[in-house]
C-alpha cells in the first residue's frame, strides 16, 4: 500500500528484473457512473425552479440568464463529492444567436468551447458531461457545484441523468433503483 492508500499488486517477485505492478481499483480510487432518475434541476422560466442557483443576481426580471454572465448550481440535493455529472442543457428563446457553456465551478471559464449553439428564438437542447467543483470559502462552502454561462440573454433548463462518483455518493432518492433480477442465483445475467 502506498502513502495515498492505493493497494498495489506485483505480478512477479521483486528480485526479478521484470517486476510489473498494478493498482487495485477500489471505491477509493476508481470511479463509477451512477444512473440517476432523470430530474430537472433548473428551469429559469419558473421562480420555483431557480432554488439551486447560488447567484440569482445574474438573472433578469423574468428569470433569464443575462448575456455574458454565469450562474452556479448547487447539486448537493442529489450528489455528495461527485466527480462529474451527465445531463441535458436546453436553451429557450434566446434574444440573439449564440452559445452556452456548462463547466466545473471554481475553474476559469474556458473560452474555446460550447455546450450548445443556438439561433434567435430557438428552443434547442444538447447533452453534456461536466466536472463538478466546490466552493471552499468558509462563509459560502458548497460541494457539488457546476457553472452555466451564456453569451446571449436566454432562459435555460438543466436536467441531470447520471453522475460519476469515486469516494463520493449519490442521494439514494436520486439514484435509479437497482433491479434485483439482473443476476440470477447461478451468477449469470438474467438474459443469458
Amino acid at each position: 500500500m502506498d502513502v495515498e492508500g492505493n493497494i498495489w499488486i506485483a505480478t512477479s517477485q521483486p528480485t526479478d528484473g521484470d517486476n510489473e505492478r498494478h493498482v487495485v481499483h477500489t471505491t477509493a480510487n476508481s470511479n463509477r457512473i451512477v444512473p440517476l432518475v432523470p430530474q430537472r434541476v433548473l428551469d429559469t422560466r419558473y421562480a420555483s425552479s431557480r432554488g439551486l442557483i447560488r447567484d440569482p443576481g445574474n438573472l433578469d426580471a423574468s428569470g433569464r440568464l443575462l448575456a455574458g454572465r454565469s450562474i452556479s448550481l448547487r447539486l448537493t440535493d442529489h450528489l455528495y463529492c461527485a466527480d462529474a455529472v451527465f445531463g441535458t442543457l436546453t436553451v429557450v428563446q434566446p434574444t440573439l444567436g449564440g452559445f452556452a457553456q456548462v463547466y466545473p465551478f471554481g475553474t476559469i471559464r474556458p473560452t474555446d468551447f460550447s455546450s450548445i449553439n443556438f439561433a434567435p428564438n430557438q428552443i434547442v437542447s444538447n447533452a453534456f458531461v461536466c466536472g463538478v467543483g466546490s466552493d471552499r470559502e468558509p462563509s459560502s462552502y458548497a460541494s457539488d457545484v457546476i457553472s452555466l454561462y451564456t453569451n446571449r440573454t436566454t432562459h435555460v433548463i438543466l436536467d441531470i441523468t447520471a453522475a460519476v462518483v469515486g469516494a463520493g455518493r449519490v442521494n439514494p432518492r436520486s439514484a435509479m433503483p437497482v433491479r434485483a433480477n439482473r443476476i440470477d442465483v447461478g451468477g449469470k445475467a438474467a438474459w443469458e
Side-chain angles (χ1 to χ4, degrees):
M1 182 176 287
D2 65 18
V3 295
E4 295 175 351
N6 293 314
I7 299 171
W8 290 81
I9 292 182
T11 58
S12 62
Q13 295 295 324
T15 56
D16 290 359
D18 299 317
N19 187 7
E20 190 171 328
R21 296 183 191 127
H22 303 277
V23 175
V24 175
H25 291 281
T26 67
T27 57
N29 66 3
S30 65
N31 292 332
R32 54 198 185 278
I33 297 174
V34 179
L36 302 174
V37 174
Q39 42 208 298
R40 182 145 298 164
V41 295
L42 173 68
D43 187 339
T44 60
R45 297 173 298 174
Y46 308 104
S48 61
S49 182
R50 299 181 204 142
L52 300 180
I53 298 174
R54 299 181 69 230
D55 35 18
N58 291 330
L59 303 177
D60 70 8
S62 66
R64 296 179 302 175
L65 178 55
L66 291 166
R69 303 274 182 94
S70 291
I71 55 174
S72 54
L73 297 172
R74 178 187 48 80
L75 300 177
T76 51
D77 290 353
H78 309 285
L79 312 172
Y80 175 73
C81 295
D83 297 312
V85 66
F86 291 74
T88 304
L89 170 64
T90 304
V91 175
V92 180
Q93 299 177 322
T95 56
L96 298 167
F99 68 93
Q101 302 170 310
V102 180
Y103 62 99
F105 177 82
T107 63
I108 296 172
R109 184 182 65 80
T111 58
D112 57 354
F113 91 102
S114 65
S115 299
I116 192 168
N117 297 302
F118 49 82
N121 297 314
Q122 191 176 30
I123 299 174
V124 63
S125 63
N126 197 28
F128 71 87
V129 178
C130 179
V132 178
S134 296
D135 183 353
R136 301 277 183 210
E137 290 296 319
S139 61
S140 60
Y141 178 80
S143 66
D144 302 294
V145 182
I146 60 173
S147 295
L148 174 58
Y149 168 87
T150 184
N151 73 332
R152 303 292 186 222
T153 299
T154 185
H155 279 295
V156 289
I157 300 170
L158 197 88
D159 301 320
I160 58 174
T161 57
V164 178
V165 294
R169 294 191 176 96
V170 169
N171 183 333
R173 292 180 311 212
S174 295
M176 288 290 293
V178 176
R179 292 192 337 237
N181 65 353
R182 287 189 184 167
I183 297 178
D184 69 15
V185 177
K188 293 184 178 181
W191 51 265
E192 289 184 331

